[in-house]
């Protein structure tokens, strides 16, 4: 103990005891007693309680002194004498052992209720003594629940009283140890002349072999023993130590262990065995524990207070050798020591009051005793914030001295109190990475780390290159940012760990990035994609399709086929697995242990992430062209994958050929792509590797069949552009015909100078577009040495269809000097003959019109100049007899004036019949046109006079003009 540091943590005050007289009894006249006289008598007993210092006098009285050592009350407990007193700590009951009879050996155990104002006696128990009953009482021990009382005598006897000392009226008394004078009852010769000097009950109950027992420590003149008392009253003796020398004292520790002071050592005992031992420099006359500190009064008049746990001396003082120590006890939260001066015979009280913890800590900090201050604060269960400040200050001191390892140990104790950024900023130097990793690891273990702290710890572990520690950290499902964590592992070449992290957290994009872009493991990547949900698989095929097609084209094309038909037909691992389900569950478990602030931040981040995921899904659904058929099968648009399939035309061709029969309504882009692929194989491959004519014809047939089969699903204009690009004549002619581009067909034949095809085309499409003949005529004029037979055929068609006036025709033909009159002689004859025929028919029509006009004029003149006879007797409208006034019309109808709504000059009956006939004729024409309206376009194209055809439809209101 010489190496222990000495401090002065107690304030010592020494006061003289004033001779205050105690109150007199009203009836008895006695000599006045003072505290001086009471404490100076060795036969008097002393105990300490809640509010009073209680002294038992030899006359049977009890004296109660306050903290100013003034006797406030006196109680007559016994008529004769008081032997021992004890005040319970829980129930405020004073237990006194004394005698009301001067006869030796007749003892009573009385219980006084100190809670009442009268301090009345609530129970008297007669102690059954044995032979040699005049033996002196040495010790009294009562347990706190007042169920056991033990009394030891100088003759070696030990009486055990069992029962509830307050409520019960019958008590069991046992003689645990026989008096030494009774030779017949001695069981062991070693027990001769052995007696118990002091007894103490252990405050806490003890568990022995599964049974809860009360423990009584006994100090005899030879050894130390302990008794175990069960609830049923059974007892068991255990010997703790053999013969020990004098002087000796014992007390109880706060945890219920026995403390024995012998010479220069202090020994601790548990209820069943000996514990640790400490050596001191002085012999002990008194020993006591005060707030986990050991108070020792040495035989050299020294007072020492030791903090055994923290291993320092709290107080030390040496007094004059002319002083005797009479009593040592704890009362009113202080250590009370009563001393007597040998010279003056006066009593003094030494009060040792412990300083406040704050004062102790300030003193230790001034002395740079940080570690001692921290241990002291921990032992006192000090405020955690103040304790964190102590660790921080000690850590800062170590950091300034360059002791980084111990400094980080102190900062670890501040977790949950000190802001982590304060510590992290001090250890960002690359040389301090290990210290920072140690702090962050503890921060994560204690659930005070946020996402950034966990990510920083991962960065530190990758820098340290400690794989075991890294694997251990990753296995604990940390809460770092997964994306940042994967990136850190990849940057440090920990690809396997990064892949494992991707799989556990379903970070598919990072998994594929590592596998494809870094490790070049294409087969594993494609197999992984095949197990993903449809949307993700479609997205990643678009992203990595080019690399996959370059290395494993066949398997990649199979995956694309599945995506475009029915992805769900095969089992996939992630189909029924919600995204990031594992991670969310793990994070929820960790969130429960974190602070409220971290919880709120984490929850907000998770909500934002969920919203982002939903937005991404919506965008994928919009941009990914995902379709669902009636059976709920998901399929993608094949056009999305063409960008990386275009370099592999044969694979692309086979894929589309497989898709067309499967798809219900293939898109025009898909058909257009297949058509383009056929032509690219025919023409582009021919430039590099010539293909056989048979294969070329095969692909041409396929291309034409594709056009004919899917023309309703195709954009024919786009197909025409492709055919023109590759100069595929058959397809161009077919598409020109479907699009009614007859002039382009004719121009194509003219380009190849195929006169037979030209004449055939003009004959085939001339009815639909007669102007083709004019186009041919213009082309003939512009050529040198035209074919006379072709000119005759063209002129004949122009003549039959009246496409050009003869004058215009001759003017055009005159532009070519090689055309002779003999070539157009027949045309001119036919034209002149036709003109003469038209002139004759026109003259005949004029004569007929003149005759009709003359007959009409004669009839009008007759009606005006000659009288008209009206012979009708009935009204032409109402069919009743005619009455005046009546109106007669020149047409022969007669109508009452009243039958006419207005005075009309025209016969309404004749007018109505004419109108009805016109409407009926118009209706019939409309009905006929309506039946043929479904083929309106075809009729319009086949009609000789398109303008007349349209006027008929407008006239019947089958076509209406809208603004």
């Amino acid at each position: 103990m010489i190496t222990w540091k000495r401090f002065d943590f107690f304030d010592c005050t020494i006061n003289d005891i004033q001779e205050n007289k105690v109150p007199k009894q009203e009836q008895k006249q006695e000599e006045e007693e003072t505290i001086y006289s009471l404490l100076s008598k060795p036969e008097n007993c002393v105990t300490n309680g809640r509010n009073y210092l209680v002294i038992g006098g030899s006359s049977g009285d009890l004296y109660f002194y306050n903290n100013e050592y003034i006797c406030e009350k006196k109680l007559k407990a016994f008529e004769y004498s008081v032997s021992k007193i004890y005040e319970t700590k829980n129930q405020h009951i004073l237990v006194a052992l004394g005698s009301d009879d001067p006869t030796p050996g007749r003892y009573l155990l009385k219980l006084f209720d100190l809670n009442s104002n009268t301090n009345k006696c609530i129970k008297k128990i007669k102690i059954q003594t044995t032979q040699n009953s005049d033996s002196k009482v040495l010790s009294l021990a009562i347990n706190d629940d007042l169920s056991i009382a033990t009394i030891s005598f100088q003759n070696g006897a030990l009486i055990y009283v069992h029962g509830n000392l307050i409520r019960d009226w019958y008590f069991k008394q046992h003689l645990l140890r026989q008096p030494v004078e009774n030779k017949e009852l001695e069981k062991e010769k070693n027990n001769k002349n052995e007696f118990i000097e002091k007894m103490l009950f252990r405050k806490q109950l003890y568990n022995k072999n599964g049974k809860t027992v009360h423990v009584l420590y006994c100090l005899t003149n030879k050894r130390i023993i302990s008794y175990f008392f069960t609830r049923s009253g059974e007892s068991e003796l255990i010997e703790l130590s053999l013969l020990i020398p004098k002087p000796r004292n014992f007390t109880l520790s706060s945890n219920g262990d026995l403390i024995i002071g012998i010479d220069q050592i202090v020994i601790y005992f548990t209820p069943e065995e000996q514990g640790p031992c400490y050596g001191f420099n002085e012999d002990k006359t008194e020993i006591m524990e005060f707030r986990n500190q050991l108070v020792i009064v040495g035989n050299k008049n020294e007072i020492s207070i030791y903090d055994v746990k923290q291993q320092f001396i709290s107080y030390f003082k040496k007094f004059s050798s002319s002083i005797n120590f009479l009593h040592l006890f704890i009362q009113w939260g202080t250590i009370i020591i009563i001393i007597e001066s040998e010279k003056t015979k006066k009593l003094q009280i030494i009060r040792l009051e412990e300083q406040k913890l704050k004062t102790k800590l300030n003193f230790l900090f001034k002395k740079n005793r940080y570690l001692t201050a921290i241990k002291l604060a921990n032992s006192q269960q000090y405020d955690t914030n103040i304790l964190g400040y102590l660790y921080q200050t000690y850590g800062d001191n170590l950091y300034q001295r360059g002791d980084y390892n111990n400094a980080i140990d102190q900062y670890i104790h501040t977790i949950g109190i000190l802001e982590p950024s304060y510590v992290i900023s001090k250890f960002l130097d690359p040389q301090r990475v290990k210290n920072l990793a140690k702090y962050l690891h503890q921060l994560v273990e204690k659930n005070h780390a946020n996402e950034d702290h966990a990510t920083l710890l991962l960065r530190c572990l990758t820098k340290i290159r400690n794989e075991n520690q890294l694997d251990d950290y990753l296995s604990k499902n940390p809460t770092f940012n997964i994306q940042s964590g994967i990136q850190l592992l990849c940057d440090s070449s920990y690809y396997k760990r990064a892949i494992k992290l991707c799989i556990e957290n379903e970070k598919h994009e990072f998994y594929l990035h590592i596998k494809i872009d870094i490790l070049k493991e294409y087969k594993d990547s494609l197999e992984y994609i095949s197990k993903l949900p449809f949307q993700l698989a479609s997205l990643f095929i678009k992203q990595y399709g080019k690399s996959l097609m370059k290395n494993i084209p066949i398997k990649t094309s199979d995956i694309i086929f599945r995506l475009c038909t029915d992805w769900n037909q095969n089992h996939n691992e992630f189909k029924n697995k919600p995204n990031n389900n594992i991670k969310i569950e793990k994070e929820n478990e960790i969130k429960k242990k974190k602070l409220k602030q971290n919880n709120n931040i984490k929850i907000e981040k998770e909500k934002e992430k969920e919203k982002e995921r939903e937005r991404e899904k919506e965008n994928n659904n919009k941009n990914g062209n995902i379709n669902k058929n009636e059976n709920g099968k998901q399929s993608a648009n094949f056009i999305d994958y063409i960008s990386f399939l275009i370099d592999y035309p044969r694979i692309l061709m086979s894929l589309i050929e497989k898709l067309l029969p499967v798809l219900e309504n293939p898109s025009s882009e898909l058909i257009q792509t297949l058509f383009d692929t056929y032509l690219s194989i025919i023409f582009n491959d021919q430039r590099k590797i010539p293909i056989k004519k048979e294969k070329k014809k095969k692909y041409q047939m396929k291309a034409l069949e594709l056009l004919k089969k899917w023309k309703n699903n195709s954009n024919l204009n786009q197909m025409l552009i492709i055919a023109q690009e590759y100069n595929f004549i058959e397809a161009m002619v077919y598409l020109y015909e479907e699009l009614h581009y007859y002039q382009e067909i004719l121009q194509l034949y003219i380009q190849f100078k195929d006169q037979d095809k030209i004449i055939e085309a003009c004959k085939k499409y001339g009815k639909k577009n007669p102007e083709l003949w004019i186009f041919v005529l213009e082309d003939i004029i512009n050529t040198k040495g035209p074919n006379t037979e072709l000119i005759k055929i063209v002129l004949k068609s122009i003549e039959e269809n009246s496409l050009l006036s003869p004058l215009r025709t001759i003017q055009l033909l005159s532009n070519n000097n090689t055309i002779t009159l003999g070539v157009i002689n027949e045309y001119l004859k036919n034209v002149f003959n036709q003109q003469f025929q038209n002139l004759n028919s026109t003259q005949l029509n004029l004569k007929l019109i003149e005759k009709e006009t003359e007959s009409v004029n004669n009839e009008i003149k007759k009606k005006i100049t000659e009288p008209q006879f009206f012979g009708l007797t009935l009204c032409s409208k109402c069919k009743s007899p005619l009455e005046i006034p009546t109106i007669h019309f020149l047409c022969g109808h007669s109508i009452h004036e009243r039958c006419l709504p207005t005075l009309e000059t025209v016969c309404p009956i004749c007018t109505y019949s004419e109108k009805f006939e016109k409407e009926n004729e118009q209706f019939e024409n409309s009905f006929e046109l309506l039946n043929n309206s479904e083929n309106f376009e075809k009729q319009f194209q086949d009609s000789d006079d398109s303008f007349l055809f349209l006027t008929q439809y407008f006239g019947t209101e089958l076509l209406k003009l809208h603004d």
Side-chain angles (χ1 to χ4, degrees):
M1 301 303 173
I2 299 175
T3 59
W4 286 11
K5 295 294 180 180
R6 184 184 297 179
F7 303 104
D8 193 7
F9 289 154
F10 283 82
D11 296 328
C12 178
T13 57
I14 302 176
N15 298 319
D16 295 334
I17 297 178
Q18 299 178 2
E19 295 185 0
N20 295 321
K21 297 180 180 180
V22 300
K24 294 182 179 180
Q25 297 289 342
E26 295 180 357
Q27 297 180 356
K28 295 183 180 180
Q29 298 294 331
E30 297 179 352
E31 293 183 1
E32 296 179 351
E33 296 280 358
T34 64
I35 190 173
Y36 177 84
S37 61
L38 291 171
L39 291 175
S40 60
K41 295 178 181 179
E43 64 271 14
N44 293 340
C45 52
V46 181
T47 188
N48 58 310
R50 292 186 180 179
N51 301 319
Y52 298 101
L53 177 66
V54 184
I55 302 175
S58 58
S59 60
D61 296 325
L62 298 177
Y63 303 92
F64 296 83
Y65 286 88
N66 60 17
N67 56 356
E68 296 180 356
Y69 308 106
I70 298 175
C71 184
E72 291 189 355
K73 55 185 176 180
K74 176 184 176 183
L75 177 64
K76 187 66 177 178
F78 296 94
E79 297 296 332
Y80 182 68
S81 64
V82 179
S83 299
K84 296 292 178 183
I85 55 177
Y86 175 78
E87 184 178 351
T88 61
K89 301 299 184 287
N90 298 331
Q91 304 184 36
H92 207 28
I93 301 294
L94 180 66
V95 182
L97 180 66
S99 177
D100 288 337
D101 192 343
T103 304
R106 295 184 178 182
Y107 294 102
L108 292 175
L109 191 65
K110 293 185 179 181
L111 277 69
F112 297 92
D113 185 5
L114 299 183
N115 291 317
S116 62
N117 295 328
T118 57
N119 297 329
K120 64 179 180 179
C121 178
I122 58 175
K123 185 63 65 70
K124 293 181 181 180
I125 302 173
K126 184 177 180 181
I127 304 301
Q128 300 175 1
T129 58
T130 58
Q131 298 178 359
N132 194 10
S133 57
D134 59 345
S135 180
K136 181 182 177 182
V137 176
L138 294 182
S139 180
L140 169 67
I142 310 290
N143 66 343
D144 284 342
D145 61 358
L146 295 175
S147 62
I148 300 174
T150 56
I151 306 168
S152 66
F153 295 90
Q154 193 172 12
N155 61 3
L158 175 62
I159 296 178
Y160 161 48
V161 181
H162 176 253
N164 193 316
L165 301 182
I166 298 177
R167 298 178 182 177
D168 294 348
W169 292 99
Y170 175 76
F171 303 95
K172 297 179 180 179
Q173 297 187 25
H174 304 279
L175 191 63
L176 295 180
R177 295 181 65 85
Q178 301 294 337
V180 296
E181 288 78 6
N182 192 350
K183 304 294 182 179
E184 296 179 358
L185 296 176
E186 289 185 9
K187 294 183 179 180
E188 296 181 5
K189 293 182 179 181
N190 293 333
N191 290 338
K192 186 177 181 181
N193 298 328
E194 183 181 13
F195 54 88
I196 297 174
E197 296 178 347
K198 192 174 182 180
M199 296 182 298
L200 288 174
F201 269 102
R202 191 176 190 267
K203 295 180 181 180
Q204 298 86 353
L205 296 176
Y206 184 71
N207 191 342
K208 178 175 173 53
N209 299 329
K211 294 182 179 180
T212 303
V213 296
H214 294 277
V215 180
L216 175 67
Y217 295 109
C218 300
L219 176 64
T220 70
N221 57 340
K222 293 184 177 182
R223 55 180 179 165
I224 300 171
I225 57 177
S226 63
Y227 283 95
F228 296 101
F229 299 102
T230 62
R231 293 183 179 180
S232 60
E234 298 177 357
S235 61
E236 180 183 355
L237 172 66
I238 292 181
E239 183 176 317
L240 297 179
S241 178
L242 298 175
L243 184 65
I244 54 177
K246 289 186 179 182
R248 52 184 178 267
N249 285 281
F250 79 160
T251 186
L252 289 178
S253 66
S254 58
N255 59 359
D257 293 338
L258 181 66
I259 305 174
I260 301 291
I262 306 169
D263 293 336
Q264 294 185 355
I265 62 173
V266 172
I267 307 173
Y268 283 75
F269 289 91
T270 65
E272 297 185 87
E273 60 185 359
Q274 180 179 331
C277 177
Y278 300 94
F280 296 93
N281 296 331
E282 70 273 3
D283 295 335
K284 294 98 187 137
T285 58
E286 292 289 342
I287 185 171
M288 184 174 290
E289 189 182 63
F290 174 72
R291 296 175 182 173
N292 296 323
Q293 300 178 88
L294 197 60
V295 182
I296 295 176
V297 178
N299 57 359
K300 296 181 181 180
N301 293 343
E302 297 173 350
I303 299 177
S304 303
I305 302 177
Y306 298 94
D307 194 326
V308 179
K309 289 184 178 180
Q310 311 306 327
Q311 295 185 352
F312 63 83
I313 302 173
S314 300
Y315 180 78
F316 175 81
K317 187 172 183 179
K318 187 173 183 180
F319 293 88
S320 173
S321 59
S322 61
I323 292 177
N324 296 325
F325 291 92
L326 299 180
H327 297 279
L328 172 64
F329 53 88
I330 298 170
Q331 183 68 357
W332 304 300
T334 59
I335 300 172
I336 305 297
I337 304 173
I338 299 176
I339 60 175
E340 180 184 19
S341 176
E342 292 181 354
K343 296 180 181 179
T344 60
K345 299 298 181 181
K346 290 185 177 181
L347 296 180
Q348 290 181 318
I349 291 181
I350 301 174
R351 172 179 281 181
L352 297 177
E353 186 172 358
E354 188 176 12
Q355 296 175 357
K356 293 183 178 180
L357 182 58
K358 186 177 180 180
T359 305
K360 295 180 183 180
L361 297 178
N362 290 335
F363 173 79
L364 292 171
F365 266 63
K366 290 178 182 179
K367 298 293 184 180
N368 292 331
R369 298 286 181 181
Y370 299 104
L371 189 58
T372 305
I374 291 171
K375 290 182 179 179
L376 183 61
N378 272 324
S379 65
Q380 299 292 329
Q381 297 180 352
Y382 206 42
D383 181 69
T384 53
N385 293 325
I386 303 299
L387 194 60
Y389 172 75
L390 298 179
Y391 280 113
Q392 177 189 349
T393 307
Y394 186 34
D396 292 342
N397 180 268
L398 293 171
Y399 184 85
Q400 291 175 0
R401 290 188 291 172
D403 189 358
Y404 302 110
N405 294 331
N406 289 327
I408 204 68
D409 291 337
Q410 304 309 317
Y411 287 131
I412 287 172
H413 292 289
T414 65
I415 293 175
I417 303 169
L418 182 63
E419 182 64 30
S421 59
Y422 176 83
V423 180
I424 293 171
S425 61
K426 289 179 174 289
F427 292 89
L428 291 177
D429 192 297
Q431 297 177 353
R432 307 274 79 81
V433 173
K434 288 186 178 181
N435 301 119
L436 181 59
K438 184 177 181 181
Y439 175 79
L440 292 172
H441 181 73
Q442 292 297 323
L443 196 68
V444 171
E445 288 291 329
K446 295 180 181 180
N447 297 321
H448 287 283
N450 57 26
E451 187 179 87
D452 296 332
H453 297 148
T455 306
L456 182 58
L457 174 57
L458 181 63
R459 182 182 292 274
C460 293
L461 294 176
T462 55
K463 295 291 183 183
I464 296 171
R465 310 296 294 183
N466 189 335
E467 295 185 1
N468 294 331
Q469 191 174 359
L470 179 62
D471 292 337
D472 181 64
Y473 177 59
L474 293 175
S475 65
K476 294 180 180 179
N477 303 318
T479 59
F480 55 77
N481 185 283
I482 300 301
Q483 297 182 5
S484 301
I486 295 170
Q487 187 63 43
L488 287 172
L489 292 172
C490 290
D491 293 342
S492 302
S493 301
Y494 291 123
Y495 299 118
K496 291 184 178 179
R497 294 171 178 82
I499 289 171
K500 182 180 179 183
L501 197 61
C502 292
I503 295 173
E504 290 177 352
N505 296 276
E506 296 186 18
K507 292 295 180 181
H508 313 299
E509 63 275 16
F510 293 99
Y511 175 90
L512 294 172
H513 168 69
I514 297 169
K515 282 284 189 178
I516 296 175
D517 296 337
I518 300 176
L519 300 179
K520 310 297 182 183
E521 297 178 358
Y522 302 103
K523 291 184 179 179
D524 293 343
S525 303
L526 195 62
E527 184 179 355
Y528 185 85
I529 292 174
S530 66
K531 298 177 182 179
L532 292 175
F534 172 77
Q535 294 176 353
L536 294 175
S538 176
L539 179 66
F540 293 131
I541 286 294
K542 293 175 188 176
Q543 184 175 357
Y544 297 104
K546 189 172 183 179
S547 300
L548 294 172
M549 282 297 298
K550 185 177 180 181
N551 294 277
I552 44 174
I554 303 301
K555 292 185 177 180
T556 306
S557 63
D558 293 340
I559 293 294
I560 295 173
F561 179 76
R562 280 183 54 200
L563 284 169
C564 297
T565 52
D566 183 15
W567 181 255
N568 297 327
Q569 65 182 349
N570 295 326
H571 172 74
N572 61 77
E573 183 178 345
F574 302 100
K575 180 178 179 180
N576 299 321
K577 193 173 181 181
N579 290 335
N580 293 331
N581 190 28
I582 298 173
K583 181 182 175 182
I584 293 172
E585 290 179 359
K586 293 174 182 176
E587 288 180 354
N588 288 336
E589 293 177 359
I590 296 172
K591 286 176 193 174
K592 295 178 182 179
K593 303 177 183 178
K594 288 189 175 181
L595 296 174
K596 292 181 179 180
Q597 184 177 3
N598 290 339
N599 280 342
N600 294 334
I601 294 172
K602 201 70 178 175
I603 291 170
E604 289 177 1
K605 287 184 178 180
E606 285 297 323
K607 288 181 179 179
E608 292 177 358
K609 289 181 181 178
E610 289 177 1
K611 290 180 181 178
E612 289 179 359
R613 290 171 193 154
E614 291 178 357
R615 291 172 186 169
E616 288 178 359
K617 288 181 180 179
E618 291 177 359
N619 293 333
N620 290 336
N621 291 336
K622 291 179 181 178
N623 301 327
N625 296 328
I626 297 170
N627 302 319
K628 281 189 178 181
N629 56 17
E630 296 177 355
N631 299 326
K633 297 179 180 179
Q634 290 181 322
S635 60
N637 192 344
F638 183 78
I639 303 301
D640 298 334
Y641 311 110
I642 289 179
S643 59
F644 50 83
L645 289 170
I646 200 70
D647 295 332
Y648 307 91
R650 297 185 183 277
I651 295 177
L652 178 61
M653 178 186 66
S654 62
L655 268 177
I656 300 177
E657 286 177 347
K658 282 194 255 182
L659 280 173
L660 283 178
V662 176
L663 298 178
E664 297 177 358
N665 188 20
S667 63
S668 61
E669 291 87 353
L670 187 64
I671 299 170
Q672 176 183 328
T673 303
L674 181 58
F675 182 70
D676 183 77
T677 305
Y678 283 144
L679 299 186
S680 66
I681 293 173
I682 296 171
F683 296 99
N684 286 351
D685 287 357
Q686 189 175 7
R687 299 171 192 169
K688 301 175 184 178
I689 303 174
I691 62 174
K692 296 180 180 180
K693 291 183 178 180
E694 296 177 357
K695 287 189 177 181
K696 182 177 180 180
K697 187 176 290 187
K698 177 182 177 182
Y699 287 125
Q700 288 177 345
M701 293 298 295
K702 283 186 175 182
L704 289 173
E705 288 176 4
L706 180 70
L707 285 176
K708 294 176 182 178
K709 183 177 182 181
W710 300 101
K711 65 179 181 179
N712 295 330
N713 294 64
S714 305
N715 186 338
L716 298 182
N717 289 315
Q718 293 294 330
M719 302 288 261
L720 179 59
I721 293 172
I722 296 171
Q724 289 173 345
E725 180 182 356
Y726 292 100
N727 199 21
F728 186 22
I729 304 301
E730 291 84 350
M732 291 169 61
V733 171
Y734 176 78
L735 291 170
Y736 283 148
E737 185 178 356
E738 290 293 326
L739 295 170
H740 307 292
Y741 295 164
Y742 306 124
Q743 189 171 346
E744 281 76 4
I745 297 174
L746 191 61
Q747 188 175 2
L748 186 66
Y749 290 150
I750 292 172
Q751 182 180 354
F752 289 101
K753 298 181 180 180
D754 191 345
Q755 294 183 358
D756 296 335
K757 291 287 186 182
I758 293 171
I759 296 172
E760 183 182 351
C762 289
K763 290 180 178 180
K764 185 176 181 180
Y765 309 118
K767 292 182 180 180
K768 298 178 181 179
N769 188 4
E771 293 182 358
L772 294 176
W773 294 103
I774 300 173
F775 181 77
V776 175
L777 180 62
E778 291 175 351
D779 182 71
I780 292 171
I781 295 169
N782 295 327
T783 59
K784 294 181 180 181
N787 190 346
T788 56
E789 294 296 329
L790 179 61
I791 294 173
K792 290 178 180 180
I793 294 171
V794 172
L795 290 175
K796 185 177 180 181
S797 297
I798 291 173
E799 178 191 351
E800 290 175 355
N801 295 305
S802 302
L803 300 177
L804 287 175
S805 65
L807 181 61
R808 179 59 181 163
T809 305
I810 294 171
Q811 287 176 349
L812 290 173
L813 292 172
S814 63
N815 292 329
N816 193 322
N817 298 326
T818 60
I819 300 175
T820 61
L821 185 62
V823 177
I824 64 172
N825 185 26
E826 188 177 354
Y827 167 73
L828 293 174
K829 288 180 180 180
N830 294 333
V831 169
F832 290 146
N833 292 332
Q834 185 66 34
Q835 292 291 333
F836 285 127
Q837 290 177 5
N838 291 338
L839 180 62
N840 294 331
S841 63
T842 302
Q843 290 176 352
L844 290 174
N845 289 333
L846 286 173
K847 289 180 180 179
L848 290 173
I849 292 171
E850 288 177 355
K851 288 180 180 181
E852 289 179 2
T853 304
E854 185 178 358
S855 63
V856 171
N857 289 333
N858 292 331
E859 187 177 355
I860 292 171
K861 184 177 180 181
K862 184 179 179 181
K863 288 186 180 291
I864 294 173
T865 58
E866 294 179 3
Q868 184 74 20
F869 175 75
F870 301 98
L872 295 176
T873 60
L874 298 176
C875 178
S876 299
K877 193 169 186 180
C878 63
K879 305 302 180 182
S880 59
L882 291 174
E883 296 177 356
I884 298 175
T886 300
I887 297 174
H888 302 279
F889 293 95
L890 294 178
C891 62
H893 292 100
S894 299
I895 302 174
H896 292 127
E897 185 180 2
R898 65 174 180 271
C899 293
L900 292 174
T902 57
L903 294 178
E904 297 182 359
T905 60
V906 181
C907 177
I909 295 173
C910 294
T911 304
Y912 177 78
S913 61
E914 290 178 1
K915 184 178 180 181
F916 178 76
E917 289 177 0
K918 289 182 180 179
E919 289 180 352
N920 189 24
E921 183 181 0
Q922 185 177 4
F923 176 76
E924 290 177 356
N925 295 333
S926 300
F927 185 76
E928 182 180 357
L929 292 173
L930 183 63
N931 291 333
N932 299 325
S933 62
E934 295 179 356
N935 299 324
F936 171 78
E937 184 177 356
K938 185 176 180 181
Q939 292 176 16
F940 175 74
Q941 293 175 356
D942 295 340
S943 63
D944 295 334
D945 191 345
S946 57
F947 181 76
L948 178 62
F949 178 78
L950 288 175
T951 55
Q952 291 177 355
Y953 269 83
F954 278 113
T956 54
E957 297 185 353
L958 290 177
L959 294 177
K960 294 184 179 180
L961 295 175
H962 297 279
D963 294 336

